[in-house]
């Protein structure tokens, strides 16, 4: 279950100031990614609905200067607020379980909300998303392309 978590590379860290939004940052993969960030060079925002519990939220809350949005990626208004002035968006909010509606809202509607919010900013941030589902990857790629966005799958 523990998937590979990307590390922030030197090239990425060189672009200062780095304003990063981690969607699903209180989940297992999101939290492991946050731990790899150079906190001196990254201004961090986290959007999470805490559906996985508050265990990792306590760790996120201890980081000085973190802006936390207790919201769901399926809520477009919340995504638009959180995405304001960020340079990179890392999406770890992917939902897998037997709740078909929850899986659709988080994975598909949430991804579409991120794409639309990015497309409607003056300076669109780079989108990195974490999925091993080929159907979801195809959905994200097709919809992002419509808005001139090239997502990176991590």
């Amino acid at each position: 279950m523990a998937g590979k978590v990307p590390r922030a590379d030197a090239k990425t860290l060189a672009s200062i100031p780095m304003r990063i939004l981690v969607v699903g940052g209180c989940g297992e993969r999101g939290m492991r990614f946050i731990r790899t960030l150079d906190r001196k060079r990254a201004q961090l925002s986290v959007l999470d609905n805490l559906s996985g519990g508050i265990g990792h939220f306590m760790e996120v809350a201890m980081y000085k200067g973190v802006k936390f949005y207790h919201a769901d990626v399926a809520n477009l208004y919340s995504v638009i607020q959180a995405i304001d002035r960020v340079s990179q968006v890392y999406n770890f909010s992917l939902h897998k379980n037997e709740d078909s509606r929850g899986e659709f809202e988080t994975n598909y509607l949430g991804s579409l909300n991120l794409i639309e919010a990015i497309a409607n900013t003056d300076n669109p941030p780079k989108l990195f998303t974490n999925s091993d589902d080929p159907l979801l990857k195809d959905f994200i790629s097709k919809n992002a392309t419509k808005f001139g966005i090239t997502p990176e799958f991590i």
Side-chain angles (χ1 to χ4, degrees), residues 4-72:
K4 183 179 175 186
V5 173
R7 296 185 86 45
D9 63 351
K11 183 179 177 184
T12 301
L13 291 175
S15 60
I16 300 172
M18 202 171 29
R19 293 181 181 100
I20 297 174
L21 172 63
V22 180
V23 181
C26 294
E28 190 66 38
R29 289 182 179 181
M31 192 66 238
R32 284 191 287 152
F33 175 74
I34 288 171
R35 290 180 192 133
T36 71
L37 295 174
D38 181 344
R39 297 290 302 129
K40 293 176 186 159
R41 295 184 180 183
Q43 295 174 358
L44 182 63
S45 296
V46 173
L47 184 142
D48 200 297
N49 65 4
L50 300 178
S51 64
I54 64 165
H56 290 301
F57 168 71
M58 300 309 290
E59 186 175 342
V60 168
M62 292 178 64
Y63 286 116
K64 186 177 180 182
V66 171
K67 189 166 189 174
F68 181 74
Y69 297 91
H70 182 201
D72 198 308

Side-chain angles (χ1 to χ4, degrees), residues 76 80 83 111-121 147 149:
L76 180 59
I80 290 170
I83 223 160
S111 294
L112 190 57
N113 285 346
L114 285 170
I115 290 165
E116 288 183 5
I118 287 170
N120 288 303
T121 61
F147 291 99
I149 299 168

